[in-house]
Amino acid sequence: MENKFYSLLDVKSIDDEQRIIKGICTDTQADHVGDRIELTGIELTGATVPLLIQHDHNLPIGTVTDLQPTAKGLMMTAKLPTKVDSPELQSRIDTAYSEIKEGLRTGLSIGFIGLDWEYLADDTRLFTKIKLLEISVVTIGCNSRAGITEVKRLAQAQTPTAKRKAKS
Protein backbone atom coordinates (compact mmCIF):
# COMPACT_ATOMS: atom_id res chain seq x y z
CA MET A 1 0.00 0.00 0.00
CA GLU A 2 1.44 3.35 -1.05
CA ASN A 3 0.70 6.35 1.15
CA LYS A 4 0.98 10.03 0.37
CA PHE A 5 1.85 12.89 2.72
CA TYR A 6 1.38 16.47 1.54
CA SER A 7 2.88 19.92 2.25
CA LEU A 8 2.74 23.52 0.96
CA LEU A 9 5.27 25.64 -0.94
CA ASP A 10 7.02 28.86 0.06
CA VAL A 11 8.89 30.13 -3.00
CA LYS A 12 11.80 32.42 -2.03
CA SER A 13 13.87 32.64 -5.18
CA ILE A 14 14.01 31.27 -8.72
CA ASP A 15 16.96 29.80 -10.65
CA ASP A 16 15.83 29.67 -14.28
CA GLU A 17 19.24 28.47 -15.44
CA GLN A 18 19.70 25.52 -13.10
CA ARG A 19 16.06 24.83 -12.15
CA ILE A 20 16.86 23.89 -8.57
CA ILE A 21 14.05 23.83 -6.04
CA LYS A 22 14.20 23.28 -2.29
CA GLY A 23 11.47 22.47 0.15
CA ILE A 24 10.19 20.68 3.19
CA CYS A 25 8.69 17.33 2.12
CA THR A 26 7.13 16.51 5.46
CA ASP A 27 7.48 17.22 9.14
CA THR A 28 6.75 15.32 12.34
CA GLN A 29 3.35 16.91 13.04
CA ALA A 30 0.03 15.32 12.11
CA ASP A 31 -1.31 16.22 8.68
CA HIS A 32 -4.98 16.92 7.94
CA VAL A 33 -5.83 13.20 7.94
CA GLY A 34 -4.03 12.46 11.20
CA ASP A 35 -0.84 10.82 9.91
CA ARG A 36 2.63 11.62 11.24
CA ILE A 37 6.07 10.45 10.10
CA GLU A 38 9.11 9.83 12.25
CA LEU A 39 11.93 11.35 10.18
CA THR A 40 14.56 8.94 11.50
CA GLY A 41 12.54 6.01 10.10
CA ILE A 42 12.75 7.03 6.43
CA GLU A 43 14.45 4.53 4.11
CA LEU A 44 15.23 5.24 0.47
CA THR A 45 14.30 2.74 -2.25
CA GLY A 46 17.33 3.43 -4.44
CA ALA A 47 20.15 5.77 -5.35
CA THR A 48 17.78 8.49 -6.60
CA VAL A 49 14.32 9.68 -5.64
CA PRO A 50 12.19 10.87 -8.56
CA LEU A 51 10.34 14.19 -8.53
CA LEU A 52 6.87 13.70 -10.01
CA ILE A 53 3.73 15.70 -10.78
CA GLN A 54 0.68 14.77 -8.66
CA HIS A 55 2.10 11.31 -7.71
CA ASP A 56 1.79 10.16 -11.32
CA HIS A 57 4.65 7.71 -11.93
CA ASN A 58 4.23 8.42 -15.65
CA LEU A 59 4.98 12.13 -15.15
CA PRO A 60 8.54 12.56 -13.84
CA ILE A 61 9.90 16.11 -13.96
CA GLY A 62 13.20 15.86 -12.10
CA THR A 63 15.39 14.17 -9.52
CA VAL A 64 15.80 14.76 -5.81
CA THR A 65 19.49 15.50 -5.24
CA ASP A 66 19.54 15.86 -1.45
CA LEU A 67 17.40 14.90 1.57
CA GLN A 68 18.20 16.10 5.08
CA PRO A 69 16.15 15.69 8.27
CA THR A 70 16.13 19.00 10.20
CA ALA A 71 14.23 20.54 13.10
CA LYS A 72 11.74 21.97 10.54
CA GLY A 73 11.20 18.67 8.76
CA LEU A 74 12.62 16.62 5.90
CA MET A 75 14.38 19.15 3.64
CA MET A 76 14.80 18.28 -0.03
CA THR A 77 16.69 19.73 -2.97
CA ALA A 78 15.63 18.72 -6.47
CA LYS A 79 16.73 19.58 -9.99
CA LEU A 80 14.51 19.82 -13.05
CA PRO A 81 16.43 19.35 -16.34
CA THR A 82 16.75 22.39 -18.59
CA LYS A 83 17.24 20.52 -21.89
CA VAL A 84 16.09 17.01 -22.81
CA ASP A 85 15.85 15.19 -26.15
CA SER A 86 12.14 14.44 -26.03
CA PRO A 87 9.87 17.37 -27.02
CA GLU A 88 7.01 15.87 -24.98
CA LEU A 89 9.17 15.57 -21.86
CA GLN A 90 10.64 19.06 -22.40
CA SER A 91 7.14 20.50 -22.57
CA ARG A 92 6.06 18.71 -19.37
CA ILE A 93 9.15 19.89 -17.45
CA ASP A 94 8.83 23.46 -18.75
CA THR A 95 5.15 23.56 -17.82
CA ALA A 96 5.78 22.13 -14.35
CA TYR A 97 8.60 24.60 -13.72
CA SER A 98 6.42 27.52 -14.84
CA GLU A 99 3.61 26.35 -12.56
CA ILE A 100 6.03 26.22 -9.61
CA LYS A 101 7.46 29.68 -10.39
CA GLU A 102 4.01 31.23 -10.72
CA GLY A 103 2.75 29.62 -7.51
CA LEU A 104 0.13 27.51 -9.27
CA ARG A 105 1.47 24.30 -7.76
CA THR A 106 2.03 25.10 -4.10
CA GLY A 107 2.42 21.68 -2.53
CA LEU A 108 4.91 18.92 -1.96
CA SER A 109 3.98 15.38 -1.10
CA ILE A 110 5.86 12.18 -0.44
CA GLY A 111 4.79 8.79 -1.74
CA PHE A 112 5.88 5.93 0.48
CA ILE A 113 5.23 2.43 1.69
CA GLY A 114 4.51 2.22 5.41
CA LEU A 115 6.70 -0.48 6.94
CA ASP A 116 5.90 0.05 10.63
CA TRP A 117 3.38 2.28 12.41
CA GLU A 118 1.41 2.66 15.59
CA TYR A 119 -1.78 4.41 16.60
CA LEU A 120 -1.33 7.03 19.30
CA ALA A 121 -3.74 8.02 22.09
CA ASP A 122 -4.96 11.03 20.07
CA ASP A 123 -5.98 8.70 17.18
CA THR A 124 -3.12 9.83 14.94
CA ARG A 125 -1.13 7.21 13.08
CA LEU A 126 2.63 7.49 13.58
CA PHE A 127 4.69 5.92 10.81
CA THR A 128 7.92 4.87 12.55
CA LYS A 129 9.43 3.29 9.44
CA ILE A 130 8.67 4.03 5.78
CA LYS A 131 10.21 3.32 2.39
CA LEU A 132 10.29 6.60 0.43
CA LEU A 133 9.30 6.02 -3.20
CA GLU A 134 8.94 9.52 -4.63
CA ILE A 135 8.35 13.19 -3.96
CA SER A 136 5.69 15.05 -5.90
CA VAL A 137 4.86 18.62 -6.68
CA VAL A 138 1.10 18.85 -6.05
CA THR A 139 -1.64 21.43 -6.36
CA ILE A 140 -3.21 20.96 -2.92
CA GLY A 141 -1.30 19.56 0.04
CA CYS A 142 -2.47 17.90 3.21
CA ASN A 143 0.42 19.00 5.44
CA SER A 144 0.24 22.79 5.60
CA ARG A 145 3.60 23.21 7.36
CA ALA A 146 5.82 21.95 4.56
CA GLY A 147 6.50 22.76 0.91
CA ILE A 148 8.89 24.33 -1.58
CA THR A 149 10.98 26.96 0.15
CA GLU A 150 13.24 28.00 -2.71
CA VAL A 151 13.24 28.15 -6.47
CA LYS A 152 16.58 29.90 -7.12
CA ARG A 153 17.31 32.49 -9.80
CA LEU A 154 21.08 32.57 -10.37
CA ALA A 155 20.99 33.61 -14.01
CA GLN A 156 19.41 36.98 -13.15
CA ALA A 157 21.61 38.21 -10.30
CA GLN A 158 20.31 41.81 -10.57
CA THR A 159 16.73 40.71 -9.96
CA PRO A 160 15.77 40.79 -6.29
CA THR A 161 14.83 37.50 -4.71
CA ALA A 162 11.13 36.83 -5.08
CA LYS A 163 9.43 35.79 -1.90
CA ARG A 164 5.92 34.48 -1.87
CA LYS A 165 4.19 32.74 1.02
CA ALA A 166 1.94 29.88 0.06
CA LYS A 167 -1.70 30.25 0.99
CA SER A 168 -2.99 27.58 3.32
Side-chain angles (χ1 to χ4, degrees), residues 5-9 21-26 51 55 74 76 106-110 135-143 146-149:
F5 211 74
Y6 303 91
S7 58
L8 291 180
L9 308 177
I21 62 172
K22 295 183 179 186
I24 301 171
C25 305
T26 189
L51 185 68
H55 295 289
L74 184 62
M76 78 120 212
T106 58
L108 283 179
S109 177
I110 62 173
I135 297 174
S136 285
V137 176
V138 296
T139 307
I140 299 172
C142 190
N143 182 337
I148 292 177
T149 57

Side-chain angles (χ1 to χ4, degrees), residues 10-157:
D10 178 9
V11 177
K12 292 185 178 175
S13 59
I14 296 171
D15 179 349
D16 288 329
E17 191 172 290
Q18 294 188 23
R19 293 188 175 185
I20 295 172
I21 62 172
K22 295 183 179 186
I24 301 171
C25 305
T26 189
D27 65 7
T28 59
Q29 301 299 311
D31 68 5
H32 295 302
V33 297
D35 288 341
R36 295 174 47 196
I37 293 179
E38 197 170 281
L39 300 182
T40 57
I42 298 174
E43 294 180 4
L44 302 179
T45 56
T48 61
V49 176
L51 185 68
L52 308 177
I53 291 289
Q54 299 291 136
H55 295 289
D56 189 331
H57 297 183
N58 294 313
L59 298 177
I61 58 167
T63 305
V64 176
T65 59
D66 189 45
L67 285 169
Q68 297 293 325
T70 70
K72 289 184 177 183
L74 184 62
M75 301 296 294
M76 78 120 212
T77 301
K79 183 167 179 24
L80 284 71
T82 54
K83 301 260 189 232
V84 296
D85 291 336
S86 164
E88 180 183 315
L89 177 57
Q90 187 70 59
S91 176
R92 178 171 67 241
I93 293 167
D94 291 346
T95 298
Y97 187 67
S98 292
E99 291 171 344
I100 292 166
K101 282 185 359 181
E102 296 302 321
L104 300 175
R105 290 203 189 265
T106 58
L108 283 179
S109 177
I110 62 173
F112 64 93
I113 297 171
L115 301 175
D116 195 17
W117 62 88
E118 61 186 82
Y119 287 93
L120 304 177
D122 63 358
D123 288 331
T124 61
R125 181 171 49 169
L126 174 63
F127 286 94
T128 55
K129 190 174 182 183
I130 67 166
K131 187 175 283 196
L132 183 64
L133 301 175
E134 50 91 1
I135 297 174
S136 285
V137 176
V138 296
T139 307
I140 299 172
C142 190
N143 182 337
S144 61
R145 292 166 307 281
I148 292 177
T149 57
E150 291 183 34
V151 183
K152 292 190 177 180
R153 182 189 316 260
L154 298 178
Q156 301 174 6

